[in-house]
């Protein structure tokens, strides 16, 4: 009896896997065509100097408006894009639209600050990516000093040597580089000093339970002190409450991004945020 049960559950398991694989293949095909049909676009989340309430810039975050399924979350399509290699195209689709939007804002005399974009570390394994970036800026009328690239600590630390030279060249053109999700990726501290980076971005998992969680509070303070001693800028992500903002500010982290100030916004709403006092609008 045990044996037949075993065989049954094996069959269910097998069917489930096939179903899952089928769904993944279908989502992959839809992402491929969605990228071609312009279904993906950037939303913009404000980054704010909490001490003055001034806008510093916006992080571009990919959103997929699926014609039937509606809005699909990056949690679902970014990992898929990573494993299928579609992330190359996706990143370029998002950065191009975000650059066009920023160039448009600057041309109209507005000041959106710095554009932060998320790029997979794989781009930096190819020498020609520097040229790709320059071409993008020329095409869109975008300037290097307006750009900051976010690369996640865990991705960069997996194979730092392969990326470091290209990142250095990018940095030399005046583009800033931030280490995203910092604190989750096991950086060697001596290595950190040699990376061509300008900013650490404290991961939101440490910010979520501030100020009450003592461990998170000490990690946050340690990361702020580390950035300070290495001469790096520091920004915290995922701040949702006034208490969190106060804690961060009191401990030397002025740059803050999180729902407390605003969720990621479509371009029109980001423009409205920019035109108002950054501290006044909190929700989309
Ligand atoms: P990330 O770069 O660390 O971006 C921050 C994420 O935290 C975003 O999730 C943002 O919406 C969310 N967030 C911001 N403030 C708060 C807050 O106060 N509370 C909470 N609970 N969440 C907050 P999102 O937009 O879902 O993006 C998830 C991740 O997907 C990003 O994490 C980034 O790693 C990746 N991603 C998004 N767009 C792109 C892209 O164009 N290219 C690449 N390569 N990755 C992207
Ligand atoms: Mg990011
Ligand atoms: Mg992050
Ligand atoms: Mg993240």
């Amino acid at each position: 009896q045990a044996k037949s049960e075993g065989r049954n559950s094996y069959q269910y398991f097998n069917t489930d896997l096939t179903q899952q694989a089928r769904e993944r293949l279908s989502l992959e095909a839809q992402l491929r065509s969605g990228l071609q049909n312009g279904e993906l676009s950037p939303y913009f989340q404000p980054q704010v100097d909490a001490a003055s309430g001034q806008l510093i810039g916006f992080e571009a975050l990919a959103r997929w408006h699926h014609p039937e399924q509606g809005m699909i979350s990056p949690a679902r399509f970014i990992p898929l894009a990573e494993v299928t290699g579609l992330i190359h195209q996706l990143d370029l689709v998002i950065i191009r639209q975000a650059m066009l939007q920023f160039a448009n804002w600057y041309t109209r005399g507005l000041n959106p600050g710095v554009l932060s974009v998320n790029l997979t570390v794989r781009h930096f394994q190819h020498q020609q990516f520097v040229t790709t970036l320059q071409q993008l800026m020329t095409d869109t009328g975008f300037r290097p000093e307006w750009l900051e690239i976010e690369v996640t600590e865990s991705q960069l630390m997996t194979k730092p040597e392969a990326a470091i030279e290209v990142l250095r060249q990018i940095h030399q053109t005046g583009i800033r580089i931030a280490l995203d999700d910092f604190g989750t990726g096991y950086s060697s501290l001596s290595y950190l000093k040699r990376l061509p980076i300008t900013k650490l971005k404290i991961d939101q998992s440490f910010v979520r339970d501030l100020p009450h969680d003592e461990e998170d509070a000490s990690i946050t303070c340690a990361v702020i002190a580390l950035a300070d001693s290495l001469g790096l800028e520091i920004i915290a992500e995922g701040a949702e409450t006034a208490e969190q903002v106060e804690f961060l500010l009191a401990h030397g982290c002025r740059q803050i991004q999180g729902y407390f100030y605003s969720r990621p916004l479509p371009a029109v709403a980001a423009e409205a945020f920019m035109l108002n006092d950054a501290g006044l609008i909190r929700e989309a």
Side-chain angles (χ1 to χ4, degrees), residues 59 118 150 152 180-182 201-204 237:
E59 177 176 10
N118 296 283
E150 295 191 4
T152 66
D180 203 353
D181 301 349
F182 189 78
K201 204 164 180 187
I202 307 176
D203 189 64
Q204 50 183 286
E237 65 182 347

Side-chain angles (χ1 to χ4, degrees), residues 99-110 140 271:
M99 280 181 170
L100 278 171
Q101 185 59 65
F102 262 61
N104 169 290
W105 280 328
Y106 273 116
T107 306
R108 289 164 48 216
L110 302 174
T140 59
E271 187 173 318

Side-chain angles (χ1 to χ4, degrees), residues 115-183:
L115 168 67
S116 297
V117 293
N118 296 283
L119 293 178
T120 182
V121 78
R122 300 171 187 218
H123 298 295
F124 313 119
Q125 274 139 25
H126 306 285
Q127 190 71 34
Q128 86 254 19
F129 190 67
V130 185
T131 318
T132 305
L133 268 182
Q134 272 157 351
Q135 193 59 53
L136 270 168
M137 290 192 281
T138 309
D139 287 355
T140 59
F142 191 95
R143 297 216 207 118
E145 63 268 28
W146 298 339
L147 189 64
E148 177 176 80
I149 288 172
E150 295 191 4
V151 51
T152 66
E153 184 196 21
S154 55
Q155 281 192 359
L156 188 58
M157 288 306 153
T158 314
K159 251 173 129 189
E161 295 299 345
I164 200 164
E165 187 44 41
V166 176
L167 281 172
R168 185 162 288 130
Q169 285 175 34
I170 290 171
H171 188 217
Q172 270 162 10
T173 68
I175 295 170
R176 294 160 228 232
I177 298 166
L179 215 45
D180 203 353
D181 301 349
F182 189 78

Side-chain angles (χ1 to χ4, degrees), residues 247-275:
F247 178 92
L248 288 161
L249 207 45
H251 292 86
C253 178
R254 288 177 61 147
Q255 298 188 28
I256 296 182
Q257 176 182 348
Y259 294 174
F260 177 74
Y261 289 107
S262 171
R263 289 176 180 266
L265 305 167
V268 175
E271 187 173 318
F273 184 96
M274 201 186 315
L275 294 169

